[in-house]
Amino acid sequence: MKAFIFDLDGVIVFTDKFHYQAWKKMADELGIYFDETINNRLRGVSRAESLEIILEKYEGEPLSGEIKAQMMEQKNRTYRELLATMTPDDVTEEVRETLKRLRERGHKLAIGSSSKNAGFILDKVGLTDAFDAVSDGNNITRSKPDPEVFVKAGEFLGVNPKECIVVEDAYAGIDAAKAAGMASVGIGDASGYEKADYRIETFGELLDIG
Ligand code: B16
Ligand code: MG
């Protein structure tokens, strides 16, 4: 494989606790029930789709698009305050070392994330220079399982989809990789997903695949 495309949240870093805290604050203020089980359904899902999932528990009057946009903005403000506390210590040595070794072997590395905060996160954890390209929520119009984010990552790298392998923690991300015509590796939540071409428990196992 010429290129590895990594999902960010749940693969390189773990920001679901911050997503939870930020959505929880917004939901509490509006009296909407929200818990960790609902939060698990937000993995890999875009911000707008996440809000719709949270609003399944909302019993008030219908909300306008403008109000929903304000709710997302408020959530994102809280989320970014929490992200701002991240440091290079939020990335394991295993992840850092594996990325370095894959690059030394000549693989191109990209991020393929639904998040519009991907650049900010990479900066906070000191990984901006570890990747050759970043495809994220800012350059797509359709979210996973649509293949757009990975197709764009392959284009940014100048690598044919057949020579790209996607590393994902979300089922929708594995489906998106397939739809892009790329191979896939399931890790974390997706390590049990039978549609993944490879399933791994630890990040370092990527060195046995590449
Ligand atoms: P933002 P990934 C995803 O990141 C998260 O898993 C998901 O929970 C979040 O809603 C989405 O990014 C959008 O994030 O609000 O920062 O734009 O797993 O695709 O790296
Ligand atoms: Mg993810």
Side-chain angles (χ1 to χ4, degrees):
M1 288 291 164
K2 274 199 181 148
F4 278 80
I5 302 174
F6 297 91
D7 174 58
L8 182 59
D9 185 16
V11 174
I12 305 285
V13 294
F14 298 88
T15 56
D16 35 339
K17 55 187 181 296
F18 296 148
H19 280 296
Y20 175 72
Q21 288 170 43
W23 282 125
K24 179 79 178 145
K25 183 165 183 273
M26 185 211 78
D28 283 354
E29 279 170 21
L30 294 162
I32 303 169
Y33 179 78
F34 180 62
D35 64 15
E36 305 244 5
T37 309
I38 301 172
N39 194 59
N40 282 338
R41 290 174 56 204
L42 311 183
R43 193 171 287 125
V45 171
S46 73
R47 198 180 306 166
E49 286 163 330
S50 297
L51 178 63
E52 293 303 329
I53 291 172
I54 291 165
L55 290 177
E56 287 171 11
K57 297 278 182 211
Y58 174 71
E59 286 161 357
E61 295 294 307
L63 300 167
S64 67
E66 199 184 324
I67 295 286
K68 287 183 185 177
Q70 281 171 16
M71 292 164 93
M72 286 190 279
E73 246 177 70
Q74 185 206 327
K75 181 266 176 178
N76 196 50
R77 260 197 310 276
T78 314
Y79 180 55
R80 282 179 73 98
E81 280 167 23
L82 295 164
L83 290 180
T85 66
M86 292 183 90
T87 70
D89 287 342
D90 286 297
V91 173
T92 64
E93 200 45 45
E94 181 182 4
V95 167
R96 238 173 247 286
E97 189 59 25
T98 304
L99 292 173
K100 191 167 148 253
R101 288 183 54 190
L102 288 172
R103 232 180 185 180
E104 282 166 2
R105 289 182 185 176
H107 299 290
K108 295 251 181 233
L109 309 184
I111 289 289
S113 164
S114 305
S115 177
K116 293 186 172 167
N117 294 299
F120 185 54
I121 296 170
L122 290 173
D123 181 48
K124 293 308 294 179
V125 300
L127 278 182
T128 305
D129 294 337
F131 297 95
D132 302 292
V134 175
S135 173
D136 64 18
N138 297 298
N139 62 255
I140 55 170
T141 54
R142 299 177 299 278
S143 41
K144 304 166 189 174
D146 189 282
E148 186 179 14
V149 72
F150 296 136
V151 170
K152 288 261 166 65
E155 282 171 12
F156 293 161
L157 292 173
V159 176
N160 190 293
K162 286 196 186 66
E163 294 179 299
C164 294
I165 187 161
V166 169
V167 187
E168 255 291 352
D169 72 310
Y171 283 35
I174 298 290
D175 293 341
K178 291 250 163 267
M182 298 176 179
S184 63
V185 183
I187 190 169
D189 227 41
S191 66
Y193 190 29
E194 69 284 356
K195 286 195 187 161
D197 297 303
Y198 302 89
R199 290 180 285 278
I200 59 173
E201 297 298 327
T202 61
F203 198 86
E205 289 170 61
L206 287 174
L207 294 170
D208 304 327
I209 292 173

